[in-house]
Amino acid sequence: MSARGPAVLIILLFMLGIGLIAHRHLQYDVPLLPGDSQTVWLVEARIDFVAQGEPVRVDMARPTRQTALVPLQETGASPGYGLNFIDQPYSRAVWTIREADGPQTLFYRSEVLVSPTQGNEPVPAPQMKQPQWPTPYASAIDDLLQQAQKTSADNLSLTRELLKLFAAEQPQQHVVLLNNRYNDNLPQLLVDMLHSAKVPAAVVYALELQDGRRNQVLLPMLKVWQGGDSQLFFLPGQEPVVTEPGQLLVWNPDGRPLLDVMGAQHSAVRFSMIRQQESAYGALSMQLSGHYDLFNFSIHALPIEEQAVFKTILLLPIGALIVCILRILVGLRTSGTFMPVLIALAFMQTSLWTGLIGFILVVAAGLLVRSYLSSLNLLLVARITAVIISVIAIVGLFSVVAYKFGLTEGLKITLFPMIILSWTIERMSILWEEEGPREVMVQGGGSLLTAVLAYLAMSHPWVQHLTFNFLGLQFVVLALVLMIGSYSGYRLLELRRFREFAH
Amino acid sequence: MWRRWLGIKRSGILGMNGRNRHYIGRYNDRTLYPLVDNKLKTKELADSYGIPTPALLHTVSRQHEVNDWHHHVPAGQGFVIKPVKGSGGKGIVVIDHHDQQQFVKTSGTVLSLADLQRHISNTLSGLHSLGGTPDSAIIEQRVTAAEAVQAFAYEGLPDIRVIVCCGFPVMAMTRLPTHESDGKANLHQGAIGVGLDMASGRAISAVQHGALVDRHPDTALPLAQLSVPGWSDLLTFAATCFDMTGLGYLGVDLVIDEHRGPLLLELNARPGLAIQVANQTGLLPRLKAAEQRRREALRWSPRQRVELAQQLFAHSNNPSKPDDSSSSSLS
């Protein structure tokens, strides 16, 4: 490698990277900071079903304007199908085809803008039914409704009182009875009960908006009308994880069925979503133009499921850059070159402290098991396999113990990639035998420190915003890595190692 | 911090990044690594260049041979088990004497036959090899170092490390095992590094854990009295390893056997930097002086290169800065 080779390459990569970032910032108005922007959720529904060689009609509810959320642009992917978005009388997406056979997949995608000022759009109340129940359920229902009637003033307070009865920690006999009979269909039971009390209500389904989630299902909720207004209620045992307004997208605000499929079987719908930071103008211009030019390399054109994967993949170079800096410029010793990045990825699945404590506990316990296994005189491959199995057992044990102590955080350790833990344990124990515990502390500590720093960089919202929205940044990172790779001066820790030569 | 950086640079200290990029990266072709990473290949090659190595007693390369390897070891004598692709002394077991059932290490620890069988089996699985690839184990005659050096060591074999750049031996040290290093000659485990004068093979300075020491902590002998016998021959063997491997930046590990004189123990394509601390001087001026003559080196015999190196790098006259190393910047 000549001395000028990397310099030219570095400058070219820098210019390319900065150019792409500037172009994307200026041309598409994508903000450089995550702060001065609006949140747009890309939500994708994937409908799978098996057609039977007949005409197929798929009719799906579409989310409409609602509290704090505004659907901006809708698209559908459906090879060979006719697709219509119908707004009257209800908001539906309808796919139709004359003939289809075998497994089919349809996509519906909506860009939803988070707009806290947006109020609830009134939806007409549904028709009420007069349901009938067999004995003894009818009397139990009557009794419960009477109890709720007594302590309420209007439709909404009646609903609250009724839900309170169902959510009670020591439920009444009636509630237990109904729970057992209508366990699978509790939301519909509650709606029917409200209808029999002349309260307009419907089951609606809402999507919890969490960044990068895939294969999500909808959360059933209760919607109750009071005059022209309506209000949403969470069902007992079905509370959402998200709490902020604008993180719950109601898919069928009118309470009509979510999916209606004719001419096919085994239909199922799953949801993916991803959060984007766009300036208001950027979101608008994207909508208006919808065309991607050569310089606008964009992973936004990919299906959301892939985008969610890319969101993580694009962070890896940042973690690797941290490793380069710590190893080449600082001189930290780690076990394995990029194992710290993988550990950092694992930390991102748990939280930092859970991950750190879990990692240390599991590795320490694993080292004990490994030292016992090595006295059994096993062949190497068998021993590593035994270590993996033991690690799974240890992780299981820790999860159960943590849960018993009321620490649900402990459960997240199960998401830790087993192979990283087993590998670390095996490597650390070999190091222990050959170089002694001190070297294990040096390398293990170096790895964990690197992993924590990589985690902090990779989980920073600004870094996540930049890596996802500006692919040009990858070229800048590459240029930095090449620069660090061309550095042949002293490492920071070598200044300490060779300090006696400094005078 | 900046002043310290400049001070270290002025002393001509070679750093890890400089070593990796300017010496290993530039002069060591990776395709040549198997020659030094595989001890059997190194042995064969050394034989063809007339460089003696410790006598090979037996090779174990398959798991089923693990059960009868000890029949190939002469009764009573000491021997050494080494992984063929090991590095940095990993997986080496030194047996002082044995009766085919009880194997006594130099430290006095007794190992059973089963212990050693497991060790060899682990070695074959690649536990001690570079990158964990399947490996073989070799059993060598145990070397007893010449009294002049052995006397300074404790419970282990002292070896001599010579850095060879472009065919010129540039710096040397001997590594003395201590009780703390468990009989191993690895500096980071607590062995003592003694810098050696290139001209004479006499001790210059000694360090343990990076700090200067006068006496061996276990034997209490004054280290300044150490002097390696047969020094020029030893350097010539080291210089020949350049012709043998083609590696332009090389660490050569030798030992002075009581009876056979200098023997080649192993070669290292990534020798460490602690030799500078042991010698209390930086490598860079010497490396540059050697690099300047790398064309001549190809024509010269190892002997000629050693003679020049002994003149240039002699401790007494001019310890660290040969007159003709004019350039001071890395390029």
Side-chain angles (χ1 to χ4, degrees), chain A residues 327-499:
Chain A
R327 282 178 63 109
I328 298 179
L329 300 187
V330 178
L332 218 57
R333 269 184 286 167
T334 62
S335 95
T337 312
F338 288 105
M339 192 54 68
V341 181
L342 296 183
I343 297 174
L345 267 189
F347 286 166
M348 289 180 73
Q349 286 188 7
T350 63
S351 64
L352 183 59
W353 287 110
T354 320
L356 212 54
I357 293 168
F359 189 86
I360 292 171
L361 282 180
V362 174
V363 169
L367 280 175
L368 289 176
V369 171
R370 162 65 169 73
S371 73
Y372 167 69
L373 284 173
S374 74
S375 70
L376 289 184
N377 214 355
L378 299 176
L379 291 177
L380 182 73
V381 178
R383 196 174 57 218
I384 293 177
T385 313
V387 167
I388 291 178
I389 295 170
S390 318
V391 165
I392 293 171
I394 292 166
V395 169
L397 185 73
F398 279 137
S399 301
V400 171
V401 170
Y403 186 70
K404 286 281 178 208
F405 281 101
L407 301 166
T408 43
E409 284 277 285
L411 292 174
K412 290 183 178 170
I413 303 177
T414 49
L415 292 170
F416 249 122
M418 292 299 141
I419 214 71
I420 295 180
L421 284 169
S422 312
W423 187 92
T424 307
I425 290 166
E426 185 62 26
R427 188 156 174 138
M428 290 292 173
S429 60
I430 292 173
L431 207 61
W432 193 300
E433 280 171 16
E434 290 178 352
E435 308 280 344
R438 193 173 159 273
E439 193 62 24
V440 172
M441 290 298 147
V442 168
Q443 289 196 13
S447 296
L448 276 188
L449 181 63
T450 311
V452 168
L453 290 176
Y455 163 85
L456 290 178
M458 285 158 72
S459 61
H460 195 280
W462 193 52
V463 173
Q464 293 192 336
H465 167 80
L466 286 180
T467 51
F468 188 63
N469 289 296
F470 297 94
L471 288 187
L473 186 71
Q474 304 294 329
F475 292 102
V476 175
V477 170
L478 183 57
L480 284 175
V481 168
L482 292 185
M483 262 172 76
I484 295 172
S486 318
Y487 173 74
S488 55
Y490 301 116
R491 296 172 178 179
L492 210 55
L493 290 177
E494 282 179 340
L495 294 185
R496 207 173 77 86
R497 181 182 178 187
F498 296 120
R499 60 188 174 281

Side-chain angles (χ1 to χ4, degrees), chain B residues 64-114:
Chain B
H64 69 83
E65 296 167 5
V66 166
N67 292 327
D68 64 346
W69 63 271
H70 55 287
H71 300 309
H72 299 270
V73 182
Q77 283 184 26
F79 60 91
V80 184
I81 303 174
K82 286 181 182 177
V84 168
K85 296 180 198 163
S87 72
K90 277 184 197 153
I92 295 179
V93 174
V94 184
I95 299 299
D96 187 67
H97 59 276
H98 68 103
D99 61 1
Q100 298 276 11
Q101 290 304 322
Q102 303 262 300
F103 295 83
V104 184
K105 291 212 285 185
T106 40
S107 60
T109 315
V110 179
L111 296 176
S112 68
L113 181 59

Side-chain angles (χ1 to χ4, degrees), chain A residues 377 434-435 490 494 501, chain B residues 11 13 16 22 118 128 188:
Chain A
N377 214 355
E434 290 178 352
E435 308 280 344
Y490 301 116
E494 282 179 340
F501 293 94
Chain B
S11 305
I13 294 290
M16 196 63 88
H22 291 300
R118 185 179 67 220
H128 309 290
H188 67 271

Side-chain angles (χ1 to χ4, degrees), chain A residues 47 49 76-83 95-97 99-100 103-107:
Chain A
I47 307 160
F49 56 88
S78 39
Y81 282 78
L83 170 61
W95 286 268
T96 43
I97 196 167
E99 193 183 335
Q104 310 277 311
T105 303
L106 304 175
F107 288 99

Side-chain angles (χ1 to χ4, degrees), chain B residues 120-139:
Chain B
I120 293 174
S121 166
N122 282 343
T123 303
L124 298 192
S125 310
L127 185 62
H128 309 290
S129 74
L130 294 153
T133 53
D135 201 355
S136 305
I138 49 174
I139 296 160

Side-chain angles (χ1 to χ4, degrees), chain A residues 17 20 36 66-67 86 95 135 148 168 198 231 245 272 277 281 289 354 376 394 401 407 411 429 459 472:
Chain A
L20 282 173
D36 57 349
Q66 51 194 266
T67 310
I86 298 168
W95 286 268
T135 49
K198 304 274 184 297
Q231 197 177 330
S272 310
Q277 303 291 334
Y281 177 72
S289 72
T354 320
L376 289 184
I394 292 166
V401 170
L407 301 166
L411 292 174
S429 60
S459 61

